[in-house]
Amino acid sequence: MQLSLWTYPWDVADQSVEPVIEEVRGLGLNTVSLATSYHAGRFVQPRGRSRKSYFPEDGTVYFRPSADLWTDAVIRPKMAEQVERDGDMLRALVDARAASGVRTSCWTVCLHNTRLGMLHPDHVARNAFGDPSFYSLCPSSPAARAYARTLAKDISQGYRPDMIELETPSFMGFTHGYHHEKDGVGLTPEEDFFLSICFCEHCRNRAAADRVDAKAARRWVEAAMVEALERERPERTFPAFPDQGIEAFRSIPALHDYLRWRETVVTSLVGEIRAEAHPDTKVVVISDASTWYAGLDLEEVARACDGLLLCLYGAPTSTVAGIADMRRAIGPKKFLGAGFRLFHPEMTGPEELAEVSETAIDAGATGVNYYNFGLVPAKRLQWIRQATLSL
């Protein structure tokens, strides 16, 4: 069973490697899930020794890329200055693995990258009006797909981690926590989703090759959004969304077909990433419950790689128990992880954390990840120990 702690490299550097490994082991865990490719943010650092807040460099990688793998690439990674300043924390954790018994998993953000999106606007997602979402490289773009594949290949061949956890090998939502997001209209859930649907040139060309009518889907979305943006007040037009996911749009055949087709784009990319990665490294996909905006068919994605890591942040015990359905769907051999966040007031205490962790394992999960080493106070991090004792 994999029991892991999501961790940032700057936090490992701040605490130093050996104390981090000892703390992880003391919590009853056997794996560190280290961010190896990440985006911008602002983080409160309650346990920080050198700072109490941190703004990471946007859209960089936290390992040393192999130059020869990227020679002909259109989109290339940039190594974070933090690696040069503090050292290669991924290398340090991998090198300590044999002696410590603590495995290394690489938490890898694939296509959510504003820095690269700004540098390569021809390869970002674009809505029905042609407006770019710079934070989201499009999974239909050949260059973006090559970037994601090579990223996993580089990490797995150069470092041989036990696992790579793929975050955003997929489409992204229109609302995602970008800097100073503003919406004075009051977009409904379906309208926010409509602005998330990519109709870039790469999507249109790929859909045409697959005999899917992207033009008709785009015309419908554009007309729906024009009408929505002219209303005096917001009005729900698809109240069954998002509870029913994309099935809420079955009455619009062109749109529904296009949304189904998007899932094949993501599934095929995940399969390509798995094929490029070293066979000794497992490849799994991170997903939350909102699979409809990402174009994730979880059953098909699990077949294309080594399994799934489901983020169940704030989910009640009854929902966590639903992992049993996913286990039956993907079979007994695939990895199936559950992710829980220790944020206040989302997680009320050690008893709740222990309950949902045990429920996940009983329902068929073969791993549990906890979020996040550097973001919660030391006393709350100790809740994990009570959870692992119950497993």
Side-chain angles (χ1 to χ4, degrees), residues 114-362:
T114 305
R115 186 187 68 82
L116 289 177
M118 291 289 188
L119 288 173
H120 303 281
D122 291 342
H123 300 284
V124 302
R126 291 179 178 268
N127 63 27
F129 301 99
D131 307 323
S133 293
F134 289 111
Y135 51 81
S136 178
L137 295 172
C138 178
S140 288
S141 159
R145 293 171 75 90
Y147 170 78
R149 291 195 306 267
T150 310
L151 197 63
K153 182 178 182 178
D154 201 350
I155 293 168
S156 62
Q157 290 190 353
Y159 292 83
R160 302 290 173 85
D162 298 270
M163 181 177 286
I164 294 178
E165 303 165 8
L166 301 176
E167 181 179 324
T168 63
S170 53
F171 297 97
M172 290 186 64
F174 180 65
T175 297
H176 86 293
Y178 192 70
H179 190 55
H180 295 317
E181 287 185 346
K182 297 183 185 296
D183 166 23
V185 175
L187 296 173
T188 65
E190 58 267 35
E191 291 158 6
D192 185 271
F193 176 54
F194 293 158
L195 288 176
S196 304
I197 302 171
C198 181
F199 293 98
C200 73
E201 179 183 8
H202 304 292
C203 278
R204 299 197 308 272
N205 290 342
R206 193 178 179 99
D210 291 337
R211 299 184 178 181
V212 174
D213 195 346
K215 291 181 180 179
R218 182 183 185 180
R219 285 195 300 269
W220 188 92
V221 171
E222 184 178 13
M225 283 308 304
V226 166
E227 182 179 348
L229 294 173
E230 290 177 349
R231 292 194 186 102
E232 184 176 6
R233 294 179 178 83
E235 179 182 321
R236 292 299 307 267
T237 51
F238 290 87
F241 182 81
D243 291 345
Q244 293 183 5
I246 65 173
E247 294 308 301
F249 310 114
R250 183 172 285 278
S251 62
I252 317 297
L255 176 60
H256 186 262
D257 290 348
Y258 187 73
L259 295 176
R260 278 291 179 210
W261 167 81
R262 295 196 323 155
E263 295 173 349
T264 68
V265 174
V266 177
T267 299
S268 63
L269 175 56
V270 170
E272 291 171 13
I273 293 171
R274 172 57 277 178
E276 289 279 349
H278 193 279
D280 291 345
T281 299
K282 288 186 177 180
V283 175
V284 304
V285 170
I286 299 173
S287 177
D288 60 17
S290 303
T291 56
W292 34 266
Y293 73 76
L296 282 170
D297 181 331
L298 293 182
E299 293 182 29
E300 291 299 319
V301 164
R303 292 188 183 97
C305 64
D306 298 301
L308 305 170
L309 179 47
L310 306 178
C311 295
L312 299 167
Y313 302 159
T317 304
S318 58
T319 299
V320 175
I323 286 178
D325 294 333
M326 186 58 68
R327 170 54 71 199
R328 284 190 289 271
I330 68 176
K333 295 183 179 180
K334 296 288 185 178
F335 175 84
L336 182 58
F340 299 109
R341 191 163 58 181
L342 278 72
F343 284 13
H344 177 80
E346 186 175 290
M347 190 64 66
T348 59
E351 296 81 10
E352 182 185 9
L353 186 61
E355 181 183 12
V356 293
S357 299
E358 189 171 359
T359 298
I361 298 300
D362 289 345

